[in-house]
Amino acid sequence: MSEFLLIHGSCHGAWCWRDLIPALQGLGHTARAIDLPGHGDTPCPIGDITLDAYAKAILQAIDTPAIVVGHSMAGFPISAAAEKAPEKIARLVYLCAYAPRNGVSLTEMRQEAPRQPLLAAIDKTPDGLGFTFRDDKLAEALYHDCPDGTVAYARDRLCVQAIKPQATPISLGANYASVPKSYIRCAGDRAIPPEYQRSMTEGWPPEDVTEMPTSHSPFFSAPNDLARRLDRIALDLT
């Protein structure tokens, strides 16, 4: 079976994959999650957190080629990792994530979306180097279809998100282009507009794109369905 490496999105950590990891393991796969620098159990001064540091952390976690799943903002660091070392990545899976374009930053992609639903849900830190999710907007923006207790679980673990990695234009070339890719859209997403997720995947082979009827957090709201979709993606590699 396959090895999955799961990469969290903004303000999150390895903790958000709590329910998906056993679901993937139940299907016979190996599944692990890491904290990117400055998240979870990986402290880092906010000024030292960069897109390059994110990409290096992902590659350091891979011993044998893995299917690397990136949620939301993690579409950028998983892509940067693929550009650095494509031989380490069996496939990139974008889970309601930003699918980057060469020379463009995540901030620029967010601004080009037809709507900006997250603007009302985040606050910048006083130093201007990061942002946090507003407590009163968590359920609405991220977890509206998730089980009871999800918001409390997340509230205790969410952290400051460094802005620098998201404001950095990404450099992508032949290495990135050589890595197979899949996209899982979320039709009920209130963070990245579903219509923008569709536009990011225009021209992708239809077999490489699937859609779930969930919020921005399918790892909490539908972990078994998500695991089955990832299982089918893995089977395509065998």
Side-chain angles (χ1 to χ4, degrees):
M1 302 302 278
S2 296
E3 178 177 346
F4 285 90
L5 181 65
L6 310 174
I7 309 299
H8 61 81
S10 294
C11 302
H12 286 64
W15 54 265
C16 73
W17 305 104
R18 174 195 66 182
D19 301 328
L20 180 63
I21 288 175
L24 284 170
Q25 290 172 338
L27 294 172
H29 301 289
T30 299
R32 298 179 296 119
I34 62 168
D35 293 313
L36 293 174
H39 299 256
D41 294 327
T42 310
C44 182
I46 195 166
D48 294 338
I49 300 173
T50 64
L51 179 58
D52 189 60
Y54 279 172
K56 288 178 178 176
I58 292 168
L59 294 174
Q60 288 170 0
I62 301 174
D63 294 321
T64 57
I67 298 174
V68 181
V69 181
H71 175 243
S72 194
M73 76 90 176
F76 265 69
I78 68 172
S79 301
E83 179 63 27
K84 285 179 176 292
E87 71 280 0
K88 285 197 165 191
I89 299 175
R91 179 175 285 266
L92 296 174
V93 180
Y94 297 85
L95 176 61
C96 52
Y98 288 95
R101 305 190 309 273
N102 181 47
V104 180
S105 72
L106 188 154
T107 299
E108 290 169 325
M109 289 193 71
R110 183 185 292 127
Q111 291 170 346
E112 76 181 16
R115 296 182 288 117
Q116 306 294 323
L118 277 187
L119 286 183
I122 61 174
D123 290 319
K124 272 193 174 182
T125 55
D127 60 13
L129 298 178
F131 68 82
T132 58
F133 282 106
R134 291 182 52 182
D135 186 73
D136 62 335
K137 298 292 186 179
L138 284 180
E140 176 186 347
L142 303 176
Y143 311 118
H144 66 86
D145 62 346
C146 298
D148 291 344
T150 300
V151 172
Y153 177 77
R155 182 187 293 120
D156 291 342
R157 293 164 175 81
L158 289 165
C159 65
V160 173
Q161 172 62 51
I163 290 174
K164 186 189 297 184
Q166 303 192 2
T168 303
I170 194 169
S171 295
L172 300 173
N175 286 348
Y176 169 73
S178 71
V179 177
K181 303 168 186 68
S182 297
Y183 197 103
I184 300 175
R185 301 191 301 236
C186 291
D189 201 320
R190 298 178 182 176
I192 301 177
E195 63 269 32
Y196 189 54
Q197 294 181 43
R198 287 191 290 273
S199 69
M200 284 191 287
T201 54
E202 284 182 5
W204 287 43
E207 63 271 19
D208 290 334
V209 181
T210 186
E211 184 170 286
M212 300 180 68
T214 66
S215 69
H216 193 59
S217 303
F219 36 76
F220 286 134
S221 62
N224 292 325
D225 183 16
L226 178 55
R228 287 191 292 269
R229 291 168 189 266
L230 292 171
D231 179 58
R232 287 197 291 271
I233 288 171
L235 290 175
D236 287 342
L237 292 175
T238 59

